[in-house]
Amino acid sequence: MKKLMKNNLSTAAIALLLLCVADLPGRSEVQYAGIAPNPAAAVRTIIDKRPVLHAEGIKFGAYDPHGDFGAQANVATEALFLPWEDVDLETLRVADAYAQARGRNLLITVEPWSWDVDWRLTSAELRAKVLRGDYDVNMRAIAQMISALKSPVIVRWGQEMEDKSGRFSWSGWNPQDYITAYRRMMDIVRLEAPGTELMWSPKGEPGLQAYYPGDDYVDLVGLSVFGLQRYDELAYNEQRTFSEALKQGYDLVAGYGKPIWVAELGYEGGDAYMKPWIETVTLKQSAFPNLQEVVYFNDRDVHAWPFNLGRPDWRVVESLGN
């Protein structure tokens, strides 16, 4: 596990430090048709795969622990991941200064656990403690720090709650228990940090509707959209475009009438696979009228993918030391 180092970090590194890398099991491998690898289709010559930002297009943000987007203009949002245990909240002030200097919003994903796997509770234990109010103090401390920040802030709590892979301790709870927990945490945010926007963020899987906490508790909806060429070939027997990968989740949440974001975005593969993603993720499309922003996850995945595909590297420039 990468831990926060309070010394020997650059300002940008501290500002973008909140990276969870705990080793958890990935999704189980389902039956698939699959197609044989095509070496020609996987040829990779692109060395910088950052998305094209279109004039009058969808806004763009990034989770960027390596600072690859630090000097880039037209980045609307700086994204951070924050556990509610074992973290120095003072670092949020540095992140705030970093974002403010670049005219960016802050999207803070609060994950209700510790990033130290040895300290994690079981799903049932976590649910019981959250519903009992044991973690109210943790959320209150985060919200009080947010209230002192100068950048506009969006809070995303307990993402991908409908996921069935076992990746997150809060995923797969009884929907009403999750809704009760989500509302409890967001009530604390509203009390301690008025003006903070609230993002409800399912993965985009069927069944997500059962976890919807109600219009009064959702300012924005955030989805997760990742494209991995070999996974697409094995799981779908085709290479999916961004639009194809987004459609299921978008269609499931469009009826709520809320602004929709892709809160986590990444893609990896050969040139022919990635070029359409690079060119279209910030392009306005009539099929997705409520899509307002996409936020790139600019790092290696923290979990292994099915089919023995390991941890994909979503970083826009080639990572060193991998």
Side-chain angles (χ1 to χ4, degrees):
M1 171 181 179
K2 292 182 181 178
K3 293 184 180 293
L4 166 60
M5 303 298 294
K6 295 183 181 178
N7 300 309
N8 301 320
L9 282 178
S10 68
T11 299
I14 294 175
L16 303 171
L17 62 134
L18 298 167
L19 165 65
C20 92
V21 293
D23 293 324
L24 287 178
R27 287 168 289 183
S28 61
E29 296 186 15
V30 297
Q31 278 196 311
Y32 62 96
I35 58 178
N38 181 351
V43 171
R44 171 74 178 271
T45 63
I46 296 172
I47 59 174
D48 190 329
K49 61 181 182 181
R50 71 187 65 215
V52 173
L53 302 189
H54 297 274
E56 306 301 323
I58 303 301
K59 290 183 179 180
F60 178 77
Y63 165 64
D64 188 29
H66 304 284
D68 295 326
F69 293 97
Q72 182 169 327
N74 300 323
V75 177
T77 300
E78 200 71 46
L80 304 172
F81 288 79
L82 180 72
W84 68 7
E85 294 185 293
D86 312 317
V87 66
D88 181 1
L89 293 178
E90 285 295 323
T91 58
L92 285 178
R93 296 186 191 275
V94 184
D96 180 41
Y98 184 90
Q100 190 178 32
R102 290 159 178 79
R104 300 175 183 176
N105 303 316
L106 283 175
L107 171 61
I108 302 176
T109 297
V110 180
E111 297 188 330
W113 61 2
S114 168
W115 286 346
D116 187 335
V117 295
D118 294 331
W119 287 93
R120 284 187 188 158
L121 303 175
T122 66
S123 179
E125 290 170 337
L126 177 64
R127 182 177 66 247
K129 288 174 71 70
V130 170
L131 294 177
R132 194 167 60 220
D134 292 8
Y135 282 104
D136 288 5
V137 63
N138 301 67
M139 198 68 196
R140 186 167 292 110
I142 293 170
Q144 288 173 347
M145 178 59 71
I146 288 172
S147 72
L149 304 182
K150 297 179 180 179
S151 303
V153 176
I154 301 162
V155 170
R156 175 181 181 241
W157 185 87
Q159 76 276 20
E160 300 186 6
M161 73 299 297
E162 87 281 21
D163 180 58
K164 298 179 175 61
S165 70
R167 176 171 182 167
F168 296 122
S169 301
W170 57 88
S171 296
W173 287 357
N174 174 281
Q176 190 54 55
D177 286 344
Y178 176 84
I179 289 171
T180 300
Y182 175 94
R183 289 177 176 174
R184 185 182 192 112
M185 296 304 111
M186 293 311 199
D187 279 340
I188 292 172
V189 173
R190 283 176 163 165
L191 178 65
E192 301 291 347
T196 301
E197 288 195 287
L198 312 182
M199 178 180 281
W200 175 69
S201 194
K203 186 174 184 178
E205 300 290 337
L208 66 82
Q209 299 96 323
Y211 292 89
Y212 187 65
D215 289 346
D216 291 345
Y217 283 86
V218 179
D219 296 311
L220 307 164
V221 174
L223 299 168
S224 299
V225 178
F226 289 92
L228 183 62
Q229 179 177 348
R230 189 58 185 144
Y231 178 81
D232 283 1
E233 292 170 348
L234 293 171
Y236 303 108
N237 203 30
E238 64 177 356
Q239 297 178 11
R240 298 201 300 173
T241 64
F242 169 69
S243 299
E244 290 167 339
L246 171 62
K247 180 175 172 52
Q248 174 180 270
Y250 182 94
D251 288 349
L252 289 171
V253 301
Y256 297 125
K258 301 290 184 176
I260 297 170
W261 289 29
V262 175
E264 294 186 35
L265 167 72
Y267 45 81
E268 175 60 22
D271 289 1
Y273 179 82
M274 290 195 298
K275 282 180 180 178
W277 285 74
I278 291 170
E279 294 168 357
T280 62
V281 296
T282 72
L283 186 67
K284 283 190 176 180
Q285 301 183 52
S286 59
F288 309 120
N290 293 343
L291 183 63
Q292 289 195 351
E293 186 162 341
V294 297
V295 180
Y296 197 87
F297 186 92
N298 190 41
D299 203 11
R300 191 177 181 188
D301 205 305
V302 299
H303 300 281
W305 276 47
F307 312 121
N308 297 316
L309 295 177
R311 291 167 49 205
D313 191 355
W314 312 117
R315 190 175 174 186
V316 293
V317 296
E318 185 175 357
S319 301
L320 300 176
N322 280 358

